[in-house]
Amino acid sequence: MKHALLVLALIATQAQAQIIYTDVIPDASYGGTNDSCYLDLDNNGEADFLIIRREDPGYCMSCLIGTHYRVLIYPMSTHVISGFTWLSQQFPQCHQSGQVIGTNLSYSVTNGLMRDASPSGGCPPILVGCTPWPPFSWANYPEGYLGLRFMIAGEIHYGWARLSIPSAAGFTLKDYAYNSVANEPIAAGDDGATTGITSIALRTMQVSPNPFTAALSISLQTGTTGAVLCRVLSLTGQAVITRTVAATSGPSAITLDLASLAPGTYLLEMQVDGERMVRKVVKE
């Protein structure tokens, strides 16, 4: 079963990186047999990783010992996952907030297993469960971050996805992000906004409705001064609408008439006080 994700994508430009962050609203939980999450890290309509919850018959040698529960991740195409080696196989590593994800890590994953349980038992624990696992495993933490390396137009990019996997009975995808600058690392949990944007107006900016049909309303907090540059861009970066608005001394409300645009996905770029933020918007 594939779950549709309602996401809020936010792009924040920093001096050395451009982090594209996607919040999953609400958090997407998967707990059924073969419940599958197709993770599209760069939101381009193509799945980059498959996270799946499985229930299969459990065997010890040739003896059926009950149901075997697993949470696994598989890379699509040439993408890879950071991992650690255990029992001659590489398993997906559970990173904690702040861990650098880049060339410093080992990527491959020969076994996509993150959580595993066979409640019926019957075999030595090393064959039926993931508790305890060695360091960096998903069994040791209530939630953690996948370190992901994937390709965009033939270039390497690094990203993360935050998961809660309390047991092999299911998992929850909370959010994810990637660095849009090729070959540049990203820190686990870095959403760009908290580290790269100081403008209160941009950090608290509200855009509604999204999706929209004809117009977008943009709300900026009190204290915004000077000119506000608004641009609507295609996904290829081409500007389709540009407006410069003088902010008021109090809260500023900006309305963009986008009725002439064709239905589709666009990027709303806002520039205030020398800083830039982009949010993905959808016209129905």
Side-chain angles (χ1 to χ4, degrees), residues 64-135:
L64 179 66
I65 60 172
T67 303
H68 191 186
Y69 303 97
R70 292 177 293 169
V71 176
L72 308 103
I73 180 170
Y74 300 107
M76 314 291 278
S77 185
T78 58
H79 310 324
V80 287
I81 305 158
S82 70
F84 64 95
T85 302
W86 187 53
L87 298 180
S88 301
Q89 296 188 71
Q90 191 178 58
F91 293 80
Q93 188 165 327
C94 180
H95 299 291
Q96 295 303 292
S97 180
Q99 168 70 56
V100 175
I101 299 168
T103 57
N104 57 308
L105 300 178
S106 173
Y107 298 86
S108 173
V109 177
T110 55
N111 190 323
L113 188 64
M114 290 187 285
R115 291 300 302 263
D116 186 21
S118 185
S120 300
C123 283
I126 198 171
L127 298 180
V128 299
C130 298
T131 305
W133 266 38

Side-chain angles (χ1 to χ4, degrees), residues 30-52:
Y30 304 81
T33 304
N34 294 325
D35 227 356
S36 302
C37 170
Y38 291 89
L39 178 59
D40 180 5
L41 201 62
D42 56 352
N43 297 313
N44 69 344
E46 298 180 2
D48 301 307
F49 300 89
L50 168 63
I51 310 171
I52 186 170

Side-chain angles (χ1 to χ4, degrees), residues 194-259:
T194 56
T195 58
I197 297 293
T198 60
S199 168
I200 296 298
L202 290 182
R203 288 169 66 92
T204 58
M205 179 178 69
Q206 300 293 321
V207 179
S208 63
N210 191 18
F212 68 96
T213 56
L216 273 179
S217 177
I218 305 162
S219 175
L220 301 176
Q221 292 292 339
T222 301
T224 304
T225 59
V228 178
L229 176 63
C230 311
R231 293 204 306 166
V232 177
L233 312 171
S234 68
L235 290 181
T236 60
Q238 181 181 5
V240 293
I241 289 179
T242 300
R243 279 188 59 189
T244 300
V245 181
T248 62
S249 59
S252 296
I254 302 169
T255 300
L256 295 180
D257 182 359
L258 304 176

